[in-house]
Amino acid sequence: MDTDLSSQDRKDLDKFIKFFALKTVQVIVQARLGEKICTRSSSSPTGSDWFNLAIKDIPEVTHEAKKALAGQLPAVGRSMCVEISLKTSEGDSMELELWCLEMNEKCDKEIKVSYTVYNRLSLLLKSLLAITRVTPAYRLSRKQGHEYVILYRIYFGEVQLSGLGEGFQTVRVGTVGTPVGTITLSCAYRINLAFMSTRQFERTPPIMGIIIDHFVDRPYPSSSPMHPCNYRAGEDNGAVYPSVEDSQEVCTSSFSTSPPSQLSSSRLSYQPAALGVGSADMGYPVLFAGGLHAAHPHQLIGPGKEGGVPPVPSQPAHGTQADQERMCTPLDGVHYSAATPSSSEDTETVSNSSEGKCGSPHDLLETIFVRKVGAFVNKPINQVTMANLDIPFAMFAPKNVELEDNDPMVNPPDSPETESPLQGSLHSEGSSGSSTGNTHDDFVMIDFKPAFSKDDILPMDLGTFYREFQNPPQLSSLSIDIGAQSMAEDLDSLPEKLAVHEKNVKEFDAFVETLQ
Amino acid sequence: MVHFPPPRRQMVGPGRTRCCGPPGAAPAMNCRAEVLEVSVEGRQVEEAMLAVLHTVLLHRSTGKFHYKKEGTYSIGTVGTQDVDCDFIDFAYVRVSSEELDRALRKAVGEFKDALRGSGSDGMGQISLEFYQKKKSRWPFSDECIPWELWTIKVNVVNLANEQERQICREKVGEKLCEKIINIVEVMNRHEYLPKMPTQSEVDNVFDTSLKDVQPYLYKISYQITDSLGTSVTTTMRRLIKDTLAL
């Protein structure tokens, strides 16, 4: 078996990888449009459906992807990344996910390009379809509309995970080995958002009050703008391409005319007829040699294949420049400003809570405390006025959005000198005037909304639970006195036990003999 | 009567199922078995099962094969669509094939009815088995050799109030997300798959009865565990296209 890749195989492989990358981007972006996707199966191959899957091609997305790739292919150290972020109506944004298509050096020389690699890439796309519905951003994207939109950005180069906050999780969609390397598709997603019920976005205006501790205003470099994921297809008048249902009732937003969208003019002019023609040319007619009786096993047969990438005909508003080989530098990732210390602390604490680390009451308290403030900073705190709250809790009173400087989550005040160790852990606790040891009373005053509790129905169930068990009594076995006592007893009884064992040495030996 | 392990199904008609042992000269040496467990409320059973089964079948279906001369074949296109669950905070992707959806709904419906009717503590399991047919000489009938078996163990819980149901909606949604990730992980291992067949063999590997997609040959069966711990086996077998018919 040839270990070197034939030139034909190499060309095929490059083409597969290129179109796999483009289709990957399409699947991801379409999954974040906020609509239900529906494509039809077709028993007769149209010759335009890569990987035997009906995945629509949104022209803008293809254009952006090609622009990002700039004629290159994913390789070691050069990954194609699709970043999904959320942007509120106030202009704050937060990165939700990062999908990475990477290539590593592990080669599988034995694998057949035109057959096995192709089928496995198809399987990987199906896995991607499944996984894109499973990450937290999917549900957010289905509810996008007035208060926030979902944006995407494609870049090529090094993977930048810093925008996801701490404690992000990774899910691997899959890998496909090829003779030139192993393609890996994975997603890193922010998890602290998972605790933010989407209901909060629907019901609580202004949205800034909830998310102030997560969002950091990031400047976008002009070279890689964000794009909204709320494309709506026009009337499908082309019979060539499998039609896509336009589920109007699910789509909650119309076109966004916000500045990052450079391609709003072309969105409305989506012409599937032209696309159909284009797809046929760049499509991959699927003719495999199957089974044992094939004259040319695993030979790729198809019209119009002159080797290399077939030219893509011009599409409206994009022209052929979309496909011209450009020597522009690949887009580097956006270097987001680092999260502020308090927000990273917040996310870290949150992520601790998400990992279920509720070891000591100390941690639990801290977690609760942080969660509390983040969840309802903007809500009117009725009970706050009931107690003596002028100094210690004034900073937790609802504020205007702009007063970020005063927000304790952004700029935590100095830790006060406190008596009890519990209070010492609460960094944002008020001045020493509050450290009278009445921890319970202090917490009761604020309308406590733990992360999982429901707003309307019995809101205090989980809260009551938390309060009751904030300070559980020490386990008796862990208390020093009893522990020391039992230890002392053990030590005292040791000599006696040893004496008994020595007496029975012979019996023990006999027993050991029977075992051997 | 206690069955340990769950007894093999009663087969009616052509073919008998061999358990996951290595049969004759079969290409499938070992049957890959995966088990998933979910705890759901009664009304969530159907959607949860459909979500898992559809996700598996999405990965195990191709477009229709069209054989040409010289042994080459072309493959049709598989469409997909999003499905939102009504009783679970969850959405999944399935193959766009009404026939396939109907077949799965029928199987899951029977499973759900059996679960409800058993009057037990609501435990059961539904299995999706992919198999290959191996032609045997007369007078022996064809063998069905499984190469992948997915078992979903279901535990039906009863909830007291609306608040618990709301929590259950979300929890089950999260659990199903984990299951989908598990399924994708298994699929990604690229372990044994039947070889692509020639035209004469295609019905031994694929189910060619559907008009728009072509899943691997599969059968769905289920078992309900009654409260005594014994297994009451109920088999629902999907009809295999009779290969002897012209």
Side-chain angles (χ1 to χ4, degrees), chain A residues 39 43 115 126 133 142 288, chain B residues 61 66 73 82 84 96 196:
Chain A
T39 57
S43 69
Y115 176 73
K126 291 175 183 169
R133 273 65 175 173
R142 289 292 298 270
F288 284 114
Chain B
S61 299
H66 296 276
Y73 61 92
D82 281 315
D84 286 340
S96 286
M196 286 298 143

Side-chain angles (χ1 to χ4, degrees), chain A residues 88-126:
Chain A
T88 66
S89 46
E90 272 79 24
D92 280 293
S93 70
M94 177 168 78
E95 190 178 324
L96 297 177
E97 298 175 322
L98 187 66
W99 298 84
C100 303
L101 179 61
E102 301 169 288
M103 179 83 100
N104 70 28
E105 289 148 346
K106 191 172 158 201
C107 301
D108 185 348
K109 299 275 186 198
E110 307 282 314
I111 204 168
K112 294 206 162 38
V113 170
S114 66
Y115 176 73
T116 312
V117 171
Y118 189 82
N119 285 336
R120 288 187 180 175
L121 289 174
S122 175
L123 197 71
L124 187 52
L125 271 179
K126 291 175 183 169

Side-chain angles (χ1 to χ4, degrees), chain A residues 431-502:
Chain A
S431 68
S432 51
S434 72
S435 57
T436 55
N438 283 344
T439 325
H440 285 288
D441 293 343
D442 293 345
F443 276 89
V444 165
M445 289 163 191
I446 296 181
D447 188 17
F448 176 40
K449 288 272 175 92
F452 303 102
S453 76
K454 307 293 167 285
D455 275 346
D456 302 324
I457 312 166
L458 296 175
M460 301 316 284
D461 270 356
L462 194 57
T464 320
F465 175 87
Y466 272 168
R467 270 199 298 284
E468 280 174 23
F469 293 99
Q470 267 173 10
N471 291 315
Q474 275 261 322
L475 288 176
S476 58
S477 57
L478 289 181
S479 70
I480 299 170
D481 302 338
I482 299 174
Q485 275 175 12
S486 60
M487 178 76 123
E489 281 166 11
D490 286 342
L491 284 172
D492 287 341
S493 65
L494 266 181
E496 296 165 14
K497 287 187 184 158
L498 280 173
V500 168
H501 291 322
E502 276 181 22

Side-chain angles (χ1 to χ4, degrees), chain A residues 36-39 41-43 45 49 52 54 115 123 126-127 133-134 142 173-175 286-288 290-292, chain B residues 58-59 61 66 68 71-82 84 93 96 163 177 184 188 190 196 198 211:
Chain A
K36 278 165 76 162
I37 305 293
C38 179
T39 57
S41 302
S42 162
S43 69
D49 294 317
N52 312 120
Y115 176 73
L123 197 71
K126 291 175 183 169
S127 298
R133 273 65 175 173
V134 145
R142 289 292 298 270
V173 182
T175 60
V286 187
L287 295 175
F288 284 114
L292 307 164
Chain B
L58 169 70
H59 290 83
S61 299
H66 296 276
K68 305 181 188 318
T72 63
Y73 61 92
S74 61
I75 307 180
T77 303
V78 172
T80 56
Q81 58 188 76
D82 281 315
D84 286 340
V93 177
S96 286
Q163 190 195 359
C177 289
V184 162
N188 177 54
H190 299 305
M196 286 298 143
T198 57
K211 67 177 190 332

Side-chain angles (χ1 to χ4, degrees), chain A residues 23 34 67 83 135 198 218 252 292 296 304 331 348 352 376 425 449 463 467 480 500 506:
Chain A
K23 286 294 180 182
K67 203 166 76 166
E83 182 191 288
T135 53
T198 51
R218 299 192 191 99
T252 56
L292 307 164
H296 304 284
L331 298 166
E348 184 170 352
N352 281 343
F376 58 92
S425 71
K449 288 272 175 92
R467 270 199 298 284
I480 299 170
V500 168
K506 288 201 186 122

Side-chain angles (χ1 to χ4, degrees), chain B residues 127-146:
Chain B
S127 300
L128 171 63
E129 178 188 291
F130 293 100
Y131 64 94
Q132 274 178 274
K133 272 202 290 197
K134 184 166 172 267
K135 292 273 168 52
S136 304
R137 293 180 192 278
W138 186 89
F140 302 106
S141 47
D142 295 341
E143 279 183 58
C144 294
I145 302 158

Side-chain angles (χ1 to χ4, degrees), chain A residues 48-165:
Chain A
S48 62
D49 294 317
W50 274 93
F51 308 106
N52 312 120
L53 284 172
I55 298 172
K56 191 177 120 191
D57 280 323
I58 301 178
E60 288 85 356
V61 177
T62 307
H63 174 73
E64 284 303 313
K66 285 183 174 165
K67 203 166 76 166
L69 285 173
Q72 298 178 67
L73 290 176
V76 180
R78 293 201 316 260
S79 311
M80 192 189 72
C81 303
V82 181
E83 182 191 288
I84 301 290
S85 55
L86 177 152
K87 184 169 174 180
T88 66
S89 46
E90 272 79 24
D92 280 293
S93 70
M94 177 168 78
E95 190 178 324
L96 297 177
E97 298 175 322
L98 187 66
W99 298 84
C100 303
L101 179 61
E102 301 169 288
M103 179 83 100
N104 70 28
E105 289 148 346
K106 191 172 158 201
C107 301
D108 185 348
K109 299 275 186 198
E110 307 282 314
I111 204 168
K112 294 206 162 38
V113 170
S114 66
Y115 176 73
T116 312
V117 171
Y118 189 82
N119 285 336
R120 288 187 180 175
L121 289 174
S122 175
L123 197 71
L124 187 52
L125 271 179
K126 291 175 183 169
S127 298
L128 182 65
L129 280 163
I131 296 285
T132 44
R133 273 65 175 173
V134 145
T135 53
Y138 180 70
R139 292 187 58 203
L140 281 174
S141 66
R142 289 292 298 270
K143 295 183 159 84
Q144 66 180 300
H146 304 296
E147 294 185 359
Y148 64 90
V149 289
I150 303 292
L151 308 177
Y152 74 93
R153 184 175 73 87
I154 309 170
Y155 64 89
F156 190 74
E158 291 221 6
V159 177
Q160 311 258 333
L161 291 167
S162 53
L164 291 170

Side-chain angles (χ1 to χ4, degrees), chain B residues 36-72:
Chain B
L36 305 164
E37 292 193 39
V38 287
S39 285
V40 294
E41 213 196 340
R43 60 184 186 167
Q44 296 171 323
V45 168
E46 209 161 342
E47 287 179 334
M49 296 302 104
L50 283 172
V52 172
L53 294 176
H54 268 304
T55 301
V56 173
L57 275 164
L58 169 70
H59 290 83
R60 293 284 180 251
S61 299
T62 74
K64 298 280 292 178
F65 283 12
H66 296 276
Y67 285 93
K68 305 181 188 318
K69 53 186 197 287
E70 295 170 6
T72 63

